[in-house]
Each structure stands twice: as structure tokens, then as C-alpha cells.
């Protein structure tokens, strides 16, 4: 809803449970906006008069309920939401929308298609959600980046399973095409292959371990006299 350039209004998001519901849009009043994606339906109305908003949205909800009853569908009030988008600072009424005998509570935010819309449209809740999600991903990267020397002794055929994930991540970060050569991705993103990365981490850890006389990994290092033996049998995995 807009009033003198200031967006305000009410948004009612209704979740249905069938993907073949595109015909429901033809039964809604032309005065409301609607957005349907798979089985998520969002309807909204904008006006400076809250009473007009209530009548338009309530009429829309009544038609939705009627259509669902006729087509053996159901609207769950507990999975539906109503948000009043308004940037006015003074007190103003919220809409009263009912699904049957159940009044929808007016919330401060709603999530639709992966985006969190807050009632003031400042998108702070969505930014905080993205930050928390990215921090979890960073924690995973921190763990993986410091444990390569643990699984670095696995066979090459096993470790190559991680290369496809690595290449996909580089393509996403650089915006490259799926057909872009892998070697070009390494150059553009300034990232080494995972094999070299594992060697680097293992070498750094090995140097630190060998500098400690009583380190428990020292007996497991490869003896110099066995180097030629392992080179003759390339299928054997060398000790750390």
C-alpha cells in the first residue's frame, strides 16, 4: 500500500498443499495483487484506508476458502500469515483477517520464496539470517581447511570426489560458465587445486610435528630407505 510515496499495507500469505492450483487466481478480486509459486500463494492490497484493505482481503480469503472447499483442498490457518507493511510512526490499526472462525495474527515479518520481508521493509531480519547462514558455512570451511592432513592419505580416486564440489564453488564465485576449463578457474580465482592444497597443509603440519622430538607422529614418518620401495609400488599408500 502506498500513501504519498510512503509504502504501507497488508500482505496475507496463504500456503496451500497442491501444485495444480493455478486456476485459483481467476477467482480472486481484481483489486488485490497475487503471486503464486508452486504451492505458495501471496495476496496483497494497498490503500490508505485500513477498512477498505480489510474488506478486500477478507473477500479474497473467503473466495479462497470457497474454492478450496469445492476442489477438495484446505487452507491451514496455522501455516498462513498476515503482515501489515507500513512505515508510519504514529499509531494505526492492523487488519483483522479471518480464515473461517480463526483470526490470523498480524506478524512483524513473513518469509516468502526464501526472502524475509519485515513490516518496515528495511530487510534487517533477512540480512541477519543471511549472515548467520554464511557464518555456519564459514565454520564448515574452517574445519575442512584444517583437517586435510587427516584424510590426505586416502587414495587419489577417493579424493577426486571432492574436486567436482571445488570446481562448482569456483564457478559460482567467479560467475564462469559450466563449460569453462578447470585450469582457467584456478587462475581467475587465484586458488590452487585441492591436491596441492592438501600437500601444502600436510607439509606444514609435518614440519611442525618433526620439530618436536617427542611428537607421537614421528615414528609413523616414511623412512628414507623405504622411498624407492614405495615408488616401485605406486598403488600403495605412503605413510604420513
Amino acid at each position: 500500500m502506498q500513501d504519498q510515496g510512503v509504502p504501507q499495507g497488508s500482505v496475507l500469505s496463504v500456503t496451500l498443499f497442491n501444485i495444480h492450483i493455478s486456476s485459483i487466481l481467476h477467482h480472486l478480486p481484481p483489486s488485490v495483487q497475487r503471486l503464486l509459486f508452486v504451492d505458495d500463494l501471496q495476496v496483497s492490497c494497498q490503500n490508505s484506508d485500513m477498512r477498505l484493505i480489510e474488506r478486500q482481503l477478507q473477500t479474497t480469503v473467503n473466495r479462497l476458502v470457497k474454492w478450496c472447499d469445492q476442489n477438495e483442498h484446505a487452507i491451514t490457518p496455522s501455516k498462513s500469515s498476515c503482515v501489515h507493511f507500513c512505515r508510519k510512526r504514529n499509531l494505526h490499526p492492523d487488519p483483522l483477517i479471518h480464515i473461517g472462525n480463526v483470526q490470523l495474527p498480524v506478524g512483524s515479518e513473513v518469509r516468502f520464496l526464501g526472502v524475509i520481508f519485515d513490516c518496515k521493509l528495511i530487510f534487517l531480519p533477512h540480512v541477519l539470517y543471511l549472515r548467520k547462514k554464511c557464518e555456519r558455512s564459514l565454520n564448515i570451511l574452517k574445519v575442512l581447511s584444517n583437517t586435510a592432513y587427516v584424510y590426505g592419505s586416502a587414495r587419489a580416486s577417493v579424493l577426486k570426489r571432492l574436486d567436482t564440489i571445488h570446481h562448482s564453488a569456483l564457478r559460482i564465485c567467479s560467475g564462469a560458465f559450466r563449460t569453462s576449463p578447470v585450469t582457467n578457474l584456478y587462475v581467475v580465482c587465484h586458488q590452487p587445486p585441492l591436491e596441492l592444497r592438501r600437500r601444502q597443509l600436510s607439509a606444514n603440519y609435518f614440519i611442525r610435528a618433526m620439530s618436536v622430538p617427542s611428537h607421537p607422529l614421528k615414528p609413523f614418518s616414511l623412512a628414507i630407505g623405504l622411498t624407492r620401495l614405495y615408488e616401485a609400488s605406486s598403488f600403495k599408500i605412503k605413510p604420513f
Side-chain angles (χ1 to χ4, degrees), residues 11 80-85 94-95 104-110 117-120:
V11 173
S80 305
S81 57
C82 178
V83 177
H84 180 199
F85 295 100
D94 290 327
L104 290 179
V106 180
S108 59
E109 60 186 40
V110 62
F117 295 89
D118 57 281
C119 60
K120 297 297 183 181

PDB file of all heavy atoms in Angstrom, residues 11 80-85 94-95 104-110 117-120:
ATOM      1  N   VAL A  11      -0.138  -7.663   3.808  1.00  0.00           N
ATOM      2  CA  VAL A  11       0.145  -8.794   2.942  1.00  0.00           C
ATOM      3  C   VAL A  11      -0.309 -10.052   3.648  1.00  0.00           C
ATOM      4  O   VAL A  11       0.044 -10.288   4.797  1.00  0.00           O
ATOM      5  CB  VAL A  11       1.647  -8.885   2.610  1.00  0.00           C
ATOM      6  CG1 VAL A  11       1.929 -10.165   1.856  1.00  0.00           C
ATOM      7  CG2 VAL A  11       2.064  -7.686   1.780  1.00  0.00           C
ATOM      8  N   SER A  80      -0.586 -20.024   7.702  1.00  0.00           N
ATOM      9  CA  SER A  80      -0.834 -18.786   6.963  1.00  0.00           C
ATOM     10  C   SER A  80      -0.394 -17.607   7.819  1.00  0.00           C
ATOM     11  O   SER A  80      -0.281 -17.717   9.041  1.00  0.00           O
ATOM     12  CB  SER A  80      -2.322 -18.659   6.612  1.00  0.00           C
ATOM     13  OG  SER A  80      -2.770 -19.800   5.905  1.00  0.00           O
ATOM     14  N   SER A  81      -0.133 -16.497   7.185  1.00  0.00           N
ATOM     15  CA  SER A  81       0.384 -15.343   7.920  1.00  0.00           C
ATOM     16  C   SER A  81      -0.138 -14.061   7.314  1.00  0.00           C
ATOM     17  O   SER A  81      -0.510 -14.007   6.136  1.00  0.00           O
ATOM     18  CB  SER A  81       1.921 -15.331   7.917  1.00  0.00           C
ATOM     19  OG  SER A  81       2.404 -15.328   6.590  1.00  0.00           O
ATOM     20  N   CYS A  82      -0.159 -13.025   8.132  1.00  0.00           N
ATOM     21  CA  CYS A  82      -0.619 -11.708   7.724  1.00  0.00           C
ATOM     22  C   CYS A  82       0.367 -10.685   8.270  1.00  0.00           C
ATOM     23  O   CYS A  82       0.719 -10.718   9.453  1.00  0.00           O
ATOM     24  CB  CYS A  82      -2.028 -11.430   8.250  1.00  0.00           C
ATOM     25  SG  CYS A  82      -2.653  -9.785   7.845  1.00  0.00           S
ATOM     26  N   VAL A  83       0.835  -9.795   7.396  1.00  0.00           N
ATOM     27  CA  VAL A  83       1.797  -8.768   7.782  1.00  0.00           C
ATOM     28  C   VAL A  83       1.315  -7.427   7.260  1.00  0.00           C
ATOM     29  O   VAL A  83       0.891  -7.309   6.105  1.00  0.00           O
ATOM     30  CB  VAL A  83       3.208  -9.077   7.231  1.00  0.00           C
ATOM     31  CG1 VAL A  83       4.170  -7.955   7.580  1.00  0.00           C
ATOM     32  CG2 VAL A  83       3.715 -10.393   7.778  1.00  0.00           C
ATOM     33  N   HIS A  84       1.388  -6.422   8.125  1.00  0.00           N
ATOM     34  CA  HIS A  84       0.998  -5.058   7.767  1.00  0.00           C
ATOM     35  C   HIS A  84       2.261  -4.257   7.472  1.00  0.00           C
ATOM     36  O   HIS A  84       3.016  -3.904   8.366  1.00  0.00           O
ATOM     37  CB  HIS A  84       0.213  -4.426   8.925  1.00  0.00           C
ATOM     38  CG  HIS A  84      -0.220  -3.024   8.635  1.00  0.00           C
ATOM     39  ND1 HIS A  84      -0.589  -2.149   9.620  1.00  0.00           N
ATOM     40  CD2 HIS A  84      -0.336  -2.341   7.471  1.00  0.00           C
ATOM     41  CE1 HIS A  84      -0.914  -0.988   9.079  1.00  0.00           C
ATOM     42  NE2 HIS A  84      -0.762  -1.076   7.783  1.00  0.00           N
ATOM     43  N   PHE A  85       2.515  -4.002   6.191  1.00  0.00           N
ATOM     44  CA  PHE A  85       3.690  -3.234   5.789  1.00  0.00           C
ATOM     45  C   PHE A  85       3.366  -1.751   5.847  1.00  0.00           C
ATOM     46  O   PHE A  85       2.503  -1.262   5.114  1.00  0.00           O
ATOM     47  CB  PHE A  85       4.125  -3.612   4.369  1.00  0.00           C
ATOM     48  CG  PHE A  85       4.596  -5.027   4.256  1.00  0.00           C
ATOM     49  CD1 PHE A  85       3.760  -6.011   3.757  1.00  0.00           C
ATOM     50  CD2 PHE A  85       5.870  -5.387   4.658  1.00  0.00           C
ATOM     51  CE1 PHE A  85       4.191  -7.316   3.639  1.00  0.00           C
ATOM     52  CE2 PHE A  85       6.316  -6.686   4.544  1.00  0.00           C
ATOM     53  CZ  PHE A  85       5.467  -7.659   4.043  1.00  0.00           C
ATOM     54  N   ASP A  94      -4.198  -2.397  12.739  1.00  0.00           N
ATOM     55  CA  ASP A  94      -3.796  -3.520  11.903  1.00  0.00           C
ATOM     56  C   ASP A  94      -5.034  -4.184  11.322  1.00  0.00           C
ATOM     57  O   ASP A  94      -6.123  -4.118  11.899  1.00  0.00           O
ATOM     58  CB  ASP A  94      -2.999  -4.539  12.724  1.00  0.00           C
ATOM     59  CG  ASP A  94      -1.626  -4.007  13.102  1.00  0.00           C
ATOM     60  OD1 ASP A  94      -1.053  -3.251  12.300  1.00  0.00           O
ATOM     61  OD2 ASP A  94      -1.140  -4.356  14.195  1.00  0.00           O
ATOM     62  N   PRO A  95      -4.898  -4.871  10.189  1.00  0.00           N
ATOM     63  CA  PRO A  95      -6.062  -5.528   9.592  1.00  0.00           C
ATOM     64  C   PRO A  95      -6.511  -6.741  10.407  1.00  0.00           C
ATOM     65  O   PRO A  95      -5.698  -7.405  11.059  1.00  0.00           O
ATOM     66  CB  PRO A  95      -5.562  -5.939   8.204  1.00  0.00           C
ATOM     67  CG  PRO A  95      -4.091  -6.088   8.372  1.00  0.00           C
ATOM     68  CD  PRO A  95      -3.686  -5.045   9.372  1.00  0.00           C
ATOM     69  N   LEU A 104      -6.341 -14.481  11.809  1.00  0.00           N
ATOM     70  CA  LEU A 104      -4.919 -14.560  11.535  1.00  0.00           C
ATOM     71  C   LEU A 104      -4.173 -13.525  12.366  1.00  0.00           C
ATOM     72  O   LEU A 104      -4.505 -12.338  12.326  1.00  0.00           O
ATOM     73  CB  LEU A 104      -4.643 -14.314  10.051  1.00  0.00           C
ATOM     74  CG  LEU A 104      -5.080 -15.391   9.072  1.00  0.00           C
ATOM     75  CD1 LEU A 104      -4.745 -14.982   7.642  1.00  0.00           C
ATOM     76  CD2 LEU A 104      -4.424 -16.719   9.400  1.00  0.00           C
ATOM     77  N   PRO A 105      -3.160 -13.947  13.111  1.00  0.00           N
ATOM     78  CA  PRO A 105      -2.364 -12.960  13.854  1.00  0.00           C
ATOM     79  C   PRO A 105      -1.515 -12.126  12.904  1.00  0.00           C
ATOM     80  O   PRO A 105      -1.001 -12.625  11.905  1.00  0.00           O
ATOM     81  CB  PRO A 105      -1.490 -13.839  14.765  1.00  0.00           C
ATOM     82  CG  PRO A 105      -1.390 -15.146  14.040  1.00  0.00           C
ATOM     83  CD  PRO A 105      -2.697 -15.331  13.316  1.00  0.00           C
ATOM     84  N   VAL A 106      -1.374 -10.867  13.220  1.00  0.00           N
ATOM     85  CA  VAL A 106      -0.568  -9.963  12.408  1.00  0.00           C
ATOM     86  C   VAL A 106       0.864 -10.016  12.925  1.00  0.00           C
ATOM     87  O   VAL A 106       1.138  -9.628  14.062  1.00  0.00           O
ATOM     88  CB  VAL A 106      -1.113  -8.520  12.467  1.00  0.00           C
ATOM     89  CG1 VAL A 106      -0.251  -7.592  11.616  1.00  0.00           C
ATOM     90  CG2 VAL A 106      -2.553  -8.489  11.983  1.00  0.00           C
ATOM     91  N   GLY A 107       1.765 -10.547  12.089  1.00  0.00           N
ATOM     92  CA  GLY A 107       3.153 -10.687  12.492  1.00  0.00           C
ATOM     93  C   GLY A 107       3.995  -9.514  12.040  1.00  0.00           C
ATOM     94  O   GLY A 107       3.545  -8.631  11.295  1.00  0.00           O
ATOM     95  N   SER A 108       5.240  -9.524  12.488  1.00  0.00           N
ATOM     96  CA  SER A 108       6.172  -8.447  12.131  1.00  0.00           C
ATOM     97  C   SER A 108       6.990  -8.780  10.896  1.00  0.00           C
ATOM     98  O   SER A 108       7.648  -7.900  10.342  1.00  0.00           O
ATOM     99  CB  SER A 108       7.118  -8.163  13.298  1.00  0.00           C
ATOM    100  OG  SER A 108       7.860  -9.335  13.639  1.00  0.00           O
ATOM    101  N   GLU A 109       6.957 -10.030  10.460  1.00  0.00           N
ATOM    102  CA  GLU A 109       7.717 -10.418   9.272  1.00  0.00           C
ATOM    103  C   GLU A 109       7.121 -11.688   8.694  1.00  0.00           C
ATOM    104  O   GLU A 109       6.386 -12.423   9.360  1.00  0.00           O
ATOM    105  CB  GLU A 109       9.193 -10.642   9.607  1.00  0.00           C
ATOM    106  CG  GLU A 109       9.427 -11.725  10.642  1.00  0.00           C
ATOM    107  CD  GLU A 109      10.868 -11.835  11.072  1.00  0.00           C
ATOM    108  OE1 GLU A 109      11.516 -10.787  11.237  1.00  0.00           O
ATOM    109  OE2 GLU A 109      11.352 -12.975  11.240  1.00  0.00           O
ATOM    110  N   VAL A 110       7.435 -11.948   7.428  1.00  0.00           N
ATOM    111  CA  VAL A 110       6.968 -13.144   6.742  1.00  0.00           C
ATOM    112  C   VAL A 110       8.057 -13.571   5.772  1.00  0.00           C
ATOM    113  O   VAL A 110       8.755 -12.729   5.184  1.00  0.00           O
ATOM    114  CB  VAL A 110       5.639 -12.880   5.994  1.00  0.00           C
ATOM    115  CG1 VAL A 110       5.809 -11.824   4.925  1.00  0.00           C
ATOM    116  CG2 VAL A 110       5.090 -14.173   5.390  1.00  0.00           C
ATOM    117  N   PHE A 117      10.525 -10.697   4.601  1.00  0.00           N
ATOM    118  CA  PHE A 117      10.005  -9.345   4.470  1.00  0.00           C
ATOM    119  C   PHE A 117       9.535  -8.878   5.850  1.00  0.00           C
ATOM    120  O   PHE A 117       8.639  -9.487   6.438  1.00  0.00           O
ATOM    121  CB  PHE A 117       8.837  -9.308   3.485  1.00  0.00           C
ATOM    122  CG  PHE A 117       9.215  -9.659   2.069  1.00  0.00           C
ATOM    123  CD1 PHE A 117       9.190 -10.975   1.631  1.00  0.00           C
ATOM    124  CD2 PHE A 117       9.602  -8.670   1.187  1.00  0.00           C
ATOM    125  CE1 PHE A 117       9.530 -11.303   0.330  1.00  0.00           C
ATOM    126  CE2 PHE A 117       9.938  -8.976  -0.121  1.00  0.00           C
ATOM    127  CZ  PHE A 117       9.914 -10.298  -0.545  1.00  0.00           C
ATOM    128  N   ASP A 118      10.146  -7.824   6.356  1.00  0.00           N
ATOM    129  CA  ASP A 118       9.731  -7.276   7.639  1.00  0.00           C
ATOM    130  C   ASP A 118       8.716  -6.167   7.416  1.00  0.00           C
ATOM    131  O   ASP A 118       8.586  -5.624   6.311  1.00  0.00           O
ATOM    132  CB  ASP A 118      10.931  -6.726   8.407  1.00  0.00           C
ATOM    133  CG  ASP A 118      11.670  -5.665   7.621  1.00  0.00           C
ATOM    134  OD1 ASP A 118      12.456  -6.043   6.713  1.00  0.00           O
ATOM    135  OD2 ASP A 118      11.472  -4.471   7.879  1.00  0.00           O
ATOM    136  N   CYS A 119       7.975  -5.805   8.457  1.00  0.00           N
ATOM    137  CA  CYS A 119       6.874  -4.865   8.328  1.00  0.00           C
ATOM    138  C   CYS A 119       7.338  -3.459   7.951  1.00  0.00           C
ATOM    139  O   CYS A 119       6.560  -2.669   7.409  1.00  0.00           O
ATOM    140  CB  CYS A 119       6.045  -4.830   9.615  1.00  0.00           C
ATOM    141  SG  CYS A 119       6.975  -4.339  11.087  1.00  0.00           S
ATOM    142  N   LYS A 120       8.606  -3.118   8.222  1.00  0.00           N
ATOM    143  CA  LYS A 120       9.138  -1.802   7.872  1.00  0.00           C
ATOM    144  C   LYS A 120       9.904  -1.816   6.556  1.00  0.00           C
ATOM    145  O   LYS A 120      10.362  -0.771   6.088  1.00  0.00           O
ATOM    146  CB  LYS A 120      10.055  -1.287   8.987  1.00  0.00           C
ATOM    147  CG  LYS A 120       9.349  -1.079  10.320  1.00  0.00           C
ATOM    148  CD  LYS A 120       8.267  -0.012  10.225  1.00  0.00           C
ATOM    149  CE  LYS A 120       7.622   0.232  11.574  1.00  0.00           C
ATOM    150  NZ  LYS A 120       6.548   1.254  11.510  1.00  0.00           N
TER     151      LYS A 120
END
